[in-house]
Amino acid sequence: MASNLQVLLDRRPTDKVSPANFRVVETPVPTPGPGEVLVRHSFLSLDPYMRGRLNDAKSYAKPQEIGAVMGGGTVGIVEASNNPRFHPGDAVVGMGGWQRYSVSDGAMLRTVDAKAVPIQAYLGALGMPGVTAWYGLNRIIEPKAGETVLVSAATGAVGSVVGQLAKLAGARTVGIAGGPDKCAYAVKELGYDACVDHKSPSFADELKAALPNGIDGLFENVGGEPFRQALDRLNDFSRVAVCGLIASYEGALTALPDMRIFLVKRFKMEGFIVSDHMDLWPKAIGELASLAAAKKLTWRETIRDGLENTPQALIDLLQGQNFGKMLVKVD
Ligand SMILES: NC(=O)c1ccc[n+]([C@@H]2O[C@H](COP(=O)([O-])OP(=O)(O)OC[C@H]3O[C@@H](n4cnc5c(N)ncnc54)[C@H](OP(=O)(O)O)[C@@H]3O)[C@@H](O)[C@H]2O)c1
């Protein structure tokens, strides 16, 4: 008999998140009511914002409720439907959470073409992270041909798309990534002109050498010391898209340098949240899907097996153990 395996938030972390913060339970498969759809998940998306939701603190995303199924993006197949917009067998992307099955009223559910690309791409380059990259680059940085764009977490779900889009826009692209393997991939597969390993003891010197013309656009995913170093290399009138500060999600402090830098360099720094721009998602996903079809957009995934391993997958993501989009394959 099929059952619904679910991962609940059991208690909030007081320090770093651990598997003990979660509880795995087995429940009956839910029955869809009038207008509802039953989806069997194929993959769950692991995203850095989930760490913020574990705290009971005011943020752009509501805190995760204790005792409830952890929220999160999912792709899967419609198993039963009482909603005329969906049919059994449809591939769908939604917010089904950390569980094998979910029931939806269809509002947050979208059918996708799982023949064009593997279904999990709609959680990565052709989904929320891809739109994030598209928005921050095109609406905040607005790169011009010949400018230099620096991207941190350059091989991650968001960063890998930023680097490729910036290159297509004619920019010189420089990535920051953790370790020689990620840096080699950044240059060979993602087309970055250079990549600097933030774990290198001579990181600051290597970053300076990789940026002979300074930085015109900075796509910031991390914060911390690499961000501080990058601010020193900004050109006059440069643009900084503050997308994420993952280095501080488990409590490390973030700090801005001396405020005079804003005045001296006349640069713009703008934070953004992709869900504030839902009107642009169809345009962004359309463009990203066209690039993927033309083989001009590539990506990489780290796939963990089994729902019960989802908490560890989140922990590993927060420690930079992923290489590309972090996913859990649902059994
Ligand atoms: N603003 C928005 O709407 C929005 C939407 C989606 C994502 N984001 C943000 O975008 C950033 C990237 O998200 P993603 O989903 O694409 O994740 P990701 O880049 O696939 O994974 C996170 C990566 O961050 C890097 N990292 C660097 N320093 C780190 C540190 N001190 N601790 C942990 N990781 C570190 C690691 O790569 P290296 O090994 O290469 O360092 C790690 O693999 C995150 O900050 C996220 O919160 C924002």
Side-chain angles (χ1 to χ4, degrees):
M1 267 281 279
S3 64
N4 193 17
L5 208 62
Q6 301 179 309
V7 184
L8 317 181
L9 177 63
D10 199 38
R11 59 195 120 111
R12 299 195 188 284
T14 46
D15 183 20
K16 287 194 186 311
V17 60
S18 96
N21 295 114
F22 302 92
R23 187 157 46 97
V24 181
V25 297
E26 210 163 345
T27 59
V29 177
T31 307
E36 289 184 336
V37 185
L38 176 69
V39 181
R40 192 190 198 287
H41 300 153
S42 315
F43 290 90
L44 312 181
S45 177
L46 276 301
D47 296 279
Y49 76 84
M50 291 170 170
R51 178 61 187 87
R53 295 199 64 226
L54 300 181
N55 297 339
D56 191 13
K58 192 168 183 290
S59 183
Y60 61 88
K62 258 190 5 204
Q64 167 72 38
E65 211 180 302
I66 292 179
V69 175
M70 271 292 294
T74 46
V75 285
I77 305 295
V78 172
E79 203 151 285
S81 176
N82 297 322
N83 183 317
R85 284 175 50 227
F86 301 94
H87 308 283
D90 284 353
V92 287
V93 58
M95 291 296 291
W98 293 10
Q99 53 185 339
R100 192 179 280 148
Y101 290 90
S102 67
V103 163
S104 160
D105 62 5
M108 297 282 281
L109 213 57
R110 190 164 51 83
T111 49
V112 292
D113 181 357
K115 291 193 188 79
V117 286
I119 191 169
Q120 69 272 22
Y122 296 99
L123 296 175
L126 305 192
M128 184 277 281
V131 180
T132 303
W134 184 97
Y135 183 87
L137 186 76
N138 291 324
R139 295 300 158 111
I140 298 177
I141 292 178
E142 301 183 273
K144 295 180 202 66
E147 288 191 330
T148 299
V149 173
L150 178 69
V151 186
S152 54
T155 65
V158 174
S160 59
V161 178
V162 179
Q164 293 175 87
L165 293 181
K167 190 76 197 162
L168 286 166
R172 179 170 187 274
T173 53
V174 179
I176 298 177
D181 289 351
K182 286 186 179 179
C183 272
Y185 170 74
V187 173
K188 285 192 196 123
E189 306 290 330
L190 299 175
Y192 282 94
D193 293 286
C195 181
V196 187
D197 177 0
H198 65 79
K199 295 178 180 168
S200 162
S202 46
F203 169 72
D205 291 340
E206 289 170 34
L207 186 68
K208 187 176 173 192
L211 296 163
N213 301 320
I215 302 167
D216 302 298
L218 169 58
F219 197 105
E220 188 52 49
N221 283 318
V222 174
E225 183 57 19
F227 181 46
R228 219 190 53 70
Q229 293 291 339
L231 288 177
D232 285 349
R233 311 251 77 81
L234 287 181
N235 291 334
D236 292 351
F237 307 109
S238 51
R239 291 83 62 199
V240 179
V242 182
C243 173
L245 298 167
I246 193 169
S248 62
Y249 291 177
E250 296 238 80
L253 289 175
T254 57
L256 273 177
D258 189 322
M259 284 286 283
R260 274 177 297 189
I261 185 179
F262 282 93
L263 190 59
V264 172
K265 299 195 175 182
R266 289 92 87 207
F267 73 98
K268 171 176 102 168
M269 183 151 100
E270 185 174 337
F272 73 100
I273 297 297
V274 68
S275 52
D276 290 333
H277 307 284
M278 294 311 292
D279 54 320
L280 290 169
W281 283 48
K283 178 177 166 59
I285 291 175
E287 287 183 23
L288 294 164
S290 299
L291 289 173
K295 303 266 181 279
K296 288 183 178 163
L297 186 66
T298 187
W299 56 84
R300 192 175 165 137
E301 295 158 348
T302 296
I303 299 179
R304 297 288 166 79
D305 274 319
L307 255 166
E308 60 283 4
N309 297 318
T310 314
Q312 190 59 49
L314 176 63
I315 293 161
D316 290 349
L317 172 69
L318 293 169
Q319 293 177 359
Q321 302 293 314
N322 61 310
F323 197 154
K325 175 67 201 169
M326 183 64 115
L327 298 159
V328 165
K329 189 169 188 302
V330 181
D331 39 12

